[in-house]
Amino acid sequence: MIDPQRPNQNGDFVNDARQELAGMLKDGLSHPSTKPVLIWGAAGAVAGALLPFVSLGLGLAAGAGYQFYKRVRPD
């Protein structure tokens, strides 16, 4: 299924992720993926601050990375 928000999606994860990241960097907060990725990154940072043996940076990267992956591969 082709998402109308992502007309260039071709099934190659690396290429799709590169295009999504380039769109996020180009459009900033007006891109539909930027806000969810930032929110999940912040939630991951909070979880990382609360959990023992998990740092703030690791939580941020895990939360943002998870949401970015789900934006590129919603299946």
Side-chain angles (χ1 to χ4, degrees):
M1 180 172 91
I2 296 179
D3 186 356
Q5 295 288 334
R6 296 183 185 93
N8 298 325
Q9 188 174 7
N10 62 6
D12 178 25
F13 177 75
V14 174
N15 190 29
D16 292 343
R18 184 178 299 142
Q19 289 178 355
E20 187 75 12
L21 184 59
M24 289 171 64
L25 291 173
K26 180 181 174 190
D27 297 338
L29 287 175
S30 64
H31 193 277
S33 293
T34 304
K35 289 178 186 174
V37 169
L38 291 176
I39 290 169
W40 275 79
V46 169
L50 297 176
L51 295 172
F53 303 109
V54 179
S55 68
L56 199 68
L58 181 62
L60 175 85
Y66 172 76
Q67 184 60 25
F68 182 75
Y69 176 79
K70 293 305 288 180
R71 295 294 292 183
V72 174
R73 288 287 177 259
D75 311 39

